């Protein structure tokens, strides 16, 4: 795992600034290479091929690369294509594959990656990202100048782009920046499954899509249920073993009381003796350590319960938010930061269950989409939902059945696709559109929703596809990348393996949601590996006491930011709306109030610390 940075047609020397800004991503080595009008920078966290032969930028036959990530099947690909080399570096494998296949090599890769590969003979630069977008890459483009970076913070310090206020309005409404969008003009995020082909002389580029998960959603798998479970078991075993074998350091596993991390841990423990496992125990949250302990005992892992308290939250909150380089409304970034910090004391590489919920239907809100087409509700459904939701008391209790019903009625009452999706996934400002001074445009997400709604696929597949493209790519994976890399910890996600991304979308709906049961096929698979009382545990995630924090631990700092005389948000939102939220003069649930305040607070912290 590493940090990469590069410039095309940029004249000012930058060496120390870049290395300082990306040091936490690569504390082991820092190198740069200048060739023609291009400069490449690399900071290395050495995990695979620890010798000097793994150093970057790496050069071979006129090809130069800086690479962030891991290619888990690269030795298999060497055998497949008859490639021989003295070094076992996966970076070298990329260069050798490019010689043979060009960018068609991407179709073969199982891994997480963002890389810049420069072909000196053709003066062409390639920037590429993996299928799910686990490893970030941001690009500044202005005339013939191109600057790219693993993180926005250092990119901003170098290029000083202007703030994009319309993009920030979209952020507030959705809760995260959608796909290519960033808070800055002239800066975009390279999307998952895409690569850029850049003419290094002119700076002109072509954005090429090499992987689209939606293609897999439009092809229904014809396997029987038993065949599907067996195949899933087989490819998940392969994914876990690859992610263990492709590390020269010990690999551990996060182990909660849920089935995703439980299955991954069970498979890993069978592949790797005395696996190091970690369970988080947090104050104010459901204690899953007893459930996790059963799995640890069953597989005789080297188990550690990491106890997290938030005594330093007030002192750390600004640093946690600033690490993201852009506003971040996901308050689970807070425990993620502390968990990564604690795990790093024991391990450098850790397996997790990321992606399972979005691929296999793990959230409770997916259940109604299995039974009804909320993307195209009829007039009776909309009218009835509007009437009922207007009459019912506001839902205040998080994760209660009443809250679930209340939110269901809310998003069933909308006819606008964007409102339906936003209400189902975040519901921050849905219904408060009149409070915006700069109206959210939401052009990209609206266009994607319209396109996806035209696909001949089920309502469930539509919401799963949108969550993979929006919530997973734009919110959850960046959160985990920033949290882990802030502490030089590498997270590996078997559920995002090449074979699973090609297989899971095409599974029949009833294999994912059965009646009201989520993740049906994973629960049945878990019976092969886990104690029975874990199989039907509900999805919990990090249960964040955000209401309490907003009104107690973080109250003073939030008020200092939001009630300041020079706020950024007041250029986008009506300031009295936020002031009335703080003083509880607006009819809204406690949970939603806390989420909105944290979302706006994050915007202010990001801006004040530029």
């Amino acid at each position: 795992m590493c940090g990469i940075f590069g410039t095309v047609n940029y004249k000012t020397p930058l060496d120390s600034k870049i290395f300082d800004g990306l040091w936490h991503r690569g504390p082991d080595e820092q190198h740069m290479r200048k060739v023609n009008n291009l400069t490449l920078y690399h900071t290395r966290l050495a995990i695979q091929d620890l010798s000097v032969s793994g150093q970057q930028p790496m050069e071979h036959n006129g090809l130069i690369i800086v690479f962030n990530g891991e290619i888990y099947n690269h030795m298999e690909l060497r055998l497949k294509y008859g490639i021989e080399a003295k070094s076992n570096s996966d970076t070298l494998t990329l260069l050798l594959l490019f010689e043979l296949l060009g960018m068609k090599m991407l179709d073969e890769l199982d891994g997480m990656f963002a890389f810049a590969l420069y072909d000196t003979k053709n003066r062409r630069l390639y920037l590429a990202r993996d299928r799910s977008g686990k490893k970030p890459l941001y690009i500044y483009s202005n005339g013939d100048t191109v600057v790219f970076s693993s993180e926005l913070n250092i990119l901003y310090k170098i290029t000083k782009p202007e703030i994009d206020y319309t993009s920030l309005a979209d952020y507030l409404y959705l809760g995260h920046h959608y796909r290519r969008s960033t808070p800055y003009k002239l800066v975009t995020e390279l999307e998952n499954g895409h690569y850029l082909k850049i003419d290094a002389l002119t700076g002109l580029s072509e954005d090429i899509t090499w992987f689209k998960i939606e293609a897999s959603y439009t092809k229904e798998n014809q396997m029987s249920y038993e065949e599907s479970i067996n195949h899933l078991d087989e490819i998940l075993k392969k994914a876990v073993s690859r992610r263990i074998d492709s590390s020269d350091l010990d690999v551990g596993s996060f182990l909660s009381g849920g089935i995703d991390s439980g299955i991954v841990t069970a498979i890993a423990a069978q592949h790797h003796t005395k696996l190091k496992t970690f369970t988080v125990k947090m104050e104010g949250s459901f204690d899953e350590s007893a459930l996790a302990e059963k799995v640890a005992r069953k597989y005789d892992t080297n188990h550690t319960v990491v106890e997290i308290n938030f005594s330093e939250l007030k002192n750390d909150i600004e640093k946690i938010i600033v690490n993201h380089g852009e506003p971040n409304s996901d308050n689970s970034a807070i425990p993620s930061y502390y968990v990564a910090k604690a795990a790093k004391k024991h391990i450098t590489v850790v397996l997790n269950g990321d992606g399972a919920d979005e691929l296999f239907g793990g959230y409770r809100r997916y259940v109604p989409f299995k039974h009804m087409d909320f993307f195209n509700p009829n007039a009776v459904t909309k009218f009835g939902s509007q009437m009922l939701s207007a009459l019912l008391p506001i839902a205040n209790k998080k994760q209660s059945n009443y809250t679930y019903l209340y939110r269901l009625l809310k998003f069933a009452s909308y006819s606008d696709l964007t409102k339906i999706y936003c209400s189902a996934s975040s519901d921050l400002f849905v219904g408060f559109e009149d409070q915006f001074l700069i109206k959210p445009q939401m052009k990209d997400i609206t266009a994607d929703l319209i396109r996806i709604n035209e696909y001949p696929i089920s309502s469930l597949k539509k919401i799963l596809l949108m969550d993979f493209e929006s919530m997973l790519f734009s919110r959850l994976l960046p959160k985990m990348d920033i949290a882990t890399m802030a502490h030089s910890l590498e997270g590996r996600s078997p559920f995002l393996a090449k074979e699973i991304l090609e297989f899971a979308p095409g599974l029949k709906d009833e294999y994912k949601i059965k009646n009201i049961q989520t993740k049906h096929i994973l629960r049945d698979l878990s019976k092969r590996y886990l104690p029975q009382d874990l199989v039907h545990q509900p999805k919990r995630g990090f249960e964040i006491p955000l209401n309490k924090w907003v009104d107690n631990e973080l109250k003073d700092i939030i008020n200092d930011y939001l009630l300041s005389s020079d706020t950024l948000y007041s250029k986008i939102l009506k300031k009295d709306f936020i002031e009335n939220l703080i003083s509880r003069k607006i009819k809204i649930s406690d949970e939603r109030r806390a989420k909105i305040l944290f979302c706006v607070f994050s915007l202010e912290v990001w801006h004040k610390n530029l």
Side-chain angles (χ1 to χ4, degrees), residues 254 336 352 354 475-485:
F254 283 136
S336 297
N352 60 46
D354 287 355
R475 195 180 96 191
L476 301 182
L477 293 181
K479 173 193 71 178
M480 288 308 299
D481 177 75
I482 291 295
T484 53
M485 293 312 299

Side-chain angles (χ1 to χ4, degrees), residues 7 9 17 56 92 178 249 377 406 542 544 551 553 557 569 579:
T7 66
N9 296 319
K17 290 182 182 179
Q56 298 184 48
L92 178 57
Y178 182 70
L249 302 177
Y406 185 84
F542 289 131
I544 312 302
D551 287 331
E553 289 91 337
I557 190 171
Y569 79 82
E579 292 172 343

Side-chain angles (χ1 to χ4, degrees), residues 1-20:
M1 199 65 64
C2 309
I4 65 175
F5 191 97
T7 66
V8 179
N9 296 319
Y10 197 89
K11 306 300 188 294
T12 309
L14 301 171
D15 299 7
S16 61
K17 290 182 182 179
I18 306 306
F19 295 143
D20 290 345

Side-chain angles (χ1 to χ4, degrees), residues 280-307:
V280 177
K281 187 175 182 180
M282 297 190 304
E283 60 181 28
S285 181
F286 178 81
D287 184 4
E288 295 185 296
S289 60
L291 293 170
E293 182 69 30
K294 293 184 178 184
V295 180
R297 284 200 304 268
K298 180 177 175 69
Y299 293 99
D300 191 28
T301 69
N302 183 355
H303 190 58
T304 301
V305 176
V306 178
E307 296 199 31

Side-chain angles (χ1 to χ4, degrees), residues 390-414:
L391 292 171
L392 290 172
I394 289 174
N396 272 306
K397 191 174 181 182
K398 187 179 181 181
Q399 294 188 347
S400 70
N401 288 331
Y402 178 76
T403 299
Y404 179 64
L405 174 63
Y406 185 84
R407 289 194 64 189
L408 179 63
L409 288 170
K410 276 290 187 184
F411 66 72
S413 68
Y414 298 117

Side-chain angles (χ1 to χ4, degrees), residues 200-263:
L201 292 174
T202 65
L204 295 176
S205 65
E206 181 183 0
D207 190 331
I208 298 168
T209 303
W210 67 270
F211 174 77
K212 288 174 74 76
I213 196 169
E214 53 202 70
S216 298
Y217 273 103
T218 58
K219 298 176 183 177
E220 186 165 291
N221 192 303
Q222 297 304 313
M223 287 184 183
S224 70
Y225 186 63
E226 190 62 29
E227 289 171 335
S228 296
I229 292 180
N230 290 336
H231 185 66
L232 176 58
D233 195 10
E234 177 186 341
I235 59 178
L236 190 53
K237 284 177 180 175
K238 179 186 290 186
V240 171
S241 63
R242 281 175 177 170
R243 282 152 181 77
I244 293 174
D245 293 341
S246 60
S247 172
D248 291 332
L249 302 177
D250 276 348
V251 179
S253 182
F254 283 136
L255 176 60
S256 70
I259 62 172
D260 306 336
S261 64
I263 295 172

Side-chain angles (χ1 to χ4, degrees), residues 14 131 191 241 260 289 315 324 357 386 406 538 540 560:
L14 301 171
R131 288 173 173 81
E191 296 175 275
S241 63
D260 306 336
S289 60
N315 297 325
H324 287 256
D357 289 316
Q386 289 169 352
Y406 185 84
R540 292 190 180 91
D560 284 346

